[in-house]
Amino acid sequence: MKSLKYSLILTCSITLCSCFSGPAKVERVIDNPTSNEIVIAIDGKELAIPANSKTTYTFEYGKHNLTYNNESLDFIVKPSKYSGDGFINPTQSNYMLHTFIYATNNTSDEAFDKIYKETINKISIILNGEEGELELPVIVVNDVFIEGELNRWDYSIDQEIPEEITENINENQAFQTRKTKIYREKEYINLLQNDYFNSLEGEESKVEISFPNKTIKLAEITKYAFPKINLEEIKCDEGKKYLTKTLENWQKFFTLTDNDFASTYEDLSGEEGKEALIRSLELCPKKIDPENTYFPAYKQLVDFINDTRYIPLI
């Protein structure tokens, strides 16, 4: 698909985001890319979203519930290091993260082909009703919460991919860069038809395209579930006391809302909270805890904090 070689004048800008500041709420798009109206419920409040459309919803910090198609999902809205760009996909439809390559006109075919090959994945695809594989510069996602910080797109749904981008580079410098756009499946199929299959000769250009869609029940989504830490396995008393108190504070935290939620989250997982957690290792040196029973429990909590610090909806 060499036609994806765009001309390049690249311009960069960097936005510096502060941590855990601003209002105690998160705004998220809820997208319905299907051909039918859907009705969801947020905390028991029904919300109809017409076919092929989206709406915006503002979530206060704290615990929430999403119900769709007689299934229900509890989730937490919290401060995050970067609020980022993301949306909610209640139908678990497919979205496609396609990588484009921008290159200056003096980029050699060899240089272009090398960077292009690095973007290629083998993707399951259904052509004229038969499932197979196709090599494309794309990743397929269908999570309920699709976050920019995890998927790293440059252009979101409803943003056009530009034909050129600019940057101050040497006039004779050969330069290439990648940009990723996220597409709804229908829009991505149109891209394929226009840019790839339309270039083929004969009947192959008339293929019907779709992508397999494998979803799980909302109630089974537990990727960021708070860890179940077995305190009884800890043989270091001081460490056990510390974690017992810390876990009690976390349990109280999940009952809070708004600014109380945000400030308590900062106390538990902000810089001071993380430093206190690290210092807790000093409570259980090897002479007191020769079997190192404290560290596995400590690590469970640290992993949860690290895994979710960039994500506002978990």
Side-chain angles (χ1 to χ4, degrees), residues 26 28 62-65 73-80 145 147 150 221-227 250 253-254 261 265 304-314:
V26 171
R28 275 293 179 265
K63 187 176 181 179
H64 294 276
N65 175 269
L73 170 66
D74 291 328
F75 60 99
I76 299 292
V77 178
K78 64 171 192 58
S80 61
F145 302 134
E147 292 294 333
L150 296 180
I221 298 175
T222 57
K223 185 174 181 181
Y224 297 111
F226 192 78
W250 272 100
F253 158 75
F254 288 118
F261 186 101
Y265 183 78
F304 172 78
I305 294 171
N306 289 338
D307 288 344
T308 61
R309 65 193 298 251
Y310 296 101
I311 309 168
L313 278 64
I314 63 172

Side-chain angles (χ1 to χ4, degrees), residues 9-253:
I9 318 170
L10 182 72
T11 256
C12 292
S13 63
I14 298 174
T15 302
L16 181 63
C17 300
S18 59
C19 303
F20 311 116
S21 62
K25 58 187 178 182
V26 171
E27 187 175 84
R28 275 293 179 265
V29 164
I30 304 175
D31 198 44
N32 174 20
T34 73
S35 56
N36 299 303
E37 178 185 83
I38 64 170
V39 178
I40 66 171
I42 303 292
D43 302 327
K45 179 182 177 181
E46 287 195 348
L47 184 65
I49 308 176
N52 302 305
S53 67
K54 63 184 180 181
T55 190
T56 300
Y57 196 91
T58 300
F59 296 90
E60 303 292 336
Y61 286 159
K63 187 176 181 179
H64 294 276
N65 175 269
L66 167 68
T67 301
Y68 170 68
N69 199 24
N70 296 318
E71 295 184 29
S72 185
L73 170 66
D74 291 328
F75 60 99
I76 299 292
V77 178
K78 64 171 192 58
S80 61
K81 188 172 179 63
Y82 305 108
S83 61
D85 188 12
F87 59 94
I88 299 175
N89 172 29
T91 61
Q92 296 184 69
S93 299
N94 287 337
Y95 290 80
M96 334 299 285
L97 290 150
H98 184 100
T99 299
F100 292 87
I101 301 169
Y102 290 85
T104 50
N105 291 330
N106 58 353
T107 296
S108 67
D109 288 344
E110 291 78 10
F112 179 85
D113 290 343
K114 180 180 179 181
I115 191 171
Y116 178 68
K117 287 178 181 178
E118 292 173 352
T119 69
I120 292 298
N121 295 296
K122 287 187 176 180
I123 302 298
S124 294
I125 190 170
I126 301 171
L127 303 175
N128 289 334
E130 294 188 7
E131 187 168 349
E133 285 189 339
L134 194 64
E135 292 188 342
L136 291 168
V138 71
I139 296 172
V140 183
V141 295
N142 57 13
D143 300 320
V144 174
F145 302 134
I146 299 180
E147 292 294 333
E149 278 301 314
L150 296 180
N151 295 286
R152 300 289 182 179
W153 60 72
D154 300 286
Y155 301 95
S156 187
I157 54 174
D158 298 327
Q159 282 186 304
E160 294 293 328
I161 186 82
E163 299 244 348
E164 294 184 351
I165 53 179
T166 61
E167 171 154 332
N168 295 324
I169 56 175
N170 186 291
E171 183 178 356
N172 299 317
Q173 180 182 356
F175 190 84
Q176 313 85 41
T177 189
R178 308 173 194 180
K179 295 290 181 181
T180 299
K181 171 168 169 52
I182 185 165
Y183 289 89
R184 299 176 181 91
E185 182 176 335
K186 289 179 184 177
E187 295 161 353
Y188 189 69
I189 288 172
N190 289 336
L191 176 72
L192 288 183
Q193 290 283 17
N194 294 331
D195 197 72
Y196 182 74
F197 287 101
N198 207 33
S199 66
L200 300 178
E201 296 180 357
E203 293 299 316
E204 288 182 87
S205 63
K206 300 178 183 179
V207 295
E208 294 183 2
I209 307 171
S210 62
F211 293 86
N213 180 270
K214 298 178 182 178
T215 62
I216 62 175
K217 292 184 177 181
L218 295 184
E220 296 174 357
I221 298 175
T222 57
K223 185 174 181 181
Y224 297 111
F226 192 78
K228 295 180 180 179
I229 299 175
N230 188 348
L231 296 171
E232 297 307 313
E233 292 183 354
I234 301 175
K235 297 180 181 179
C236 166
D237 290 339
E238 291 302 313
K240 183 186 291 187
K241 288 178 183 178
Y242 171 81
L243 268 191
T244 298
K245 182 62 176 176
T246 300
L247 294 179
E248 287 176 357
N249 290 336
W250 272 100
Q251 292 304 318
K252 292 177 183 177
F253 158 75

Side-chain angles (χ1 to χ4, degrees), residues 232-293:
E232 297 307 313
E233 292 183 354
I234 301 175
K235 297 180 181 179
C236 166
D237 290 339
E238 291 302 313
K240 183 186 291 187
K241 288 178 183 178
Y242 171 81
L243 268 191
T244 298
K245 182 62 176 176
T246 300
L247 294 179
E248 287 176 357
N249 290 336
W250 272 100
Q251 292 304 318
K252 292 177 183 177
F253 158 75
F254 288 118
T255 68
L256 301 174
T257 57
D258 302 338
N259 286 314
D260 289 338
F261 186 101
S263 60
T264 302
Y265 183 78
E266 174 67 13
D267 291 340
L268 291 170
S269 66
E271 293 305 317
E272 290 186 7
K274 287 189 291 185
E275 288 176 7
L277 191 56
I278 292 171
R279 287 196 303 272
S280 73
L281 290 171
E282 300 172 3
L283 299 172
C284 300
K286 189 171 184 179
K287 64 179 180 180
I288 295 175
D289 187 20
E291 297 177 28
N292 200 26
T293 60

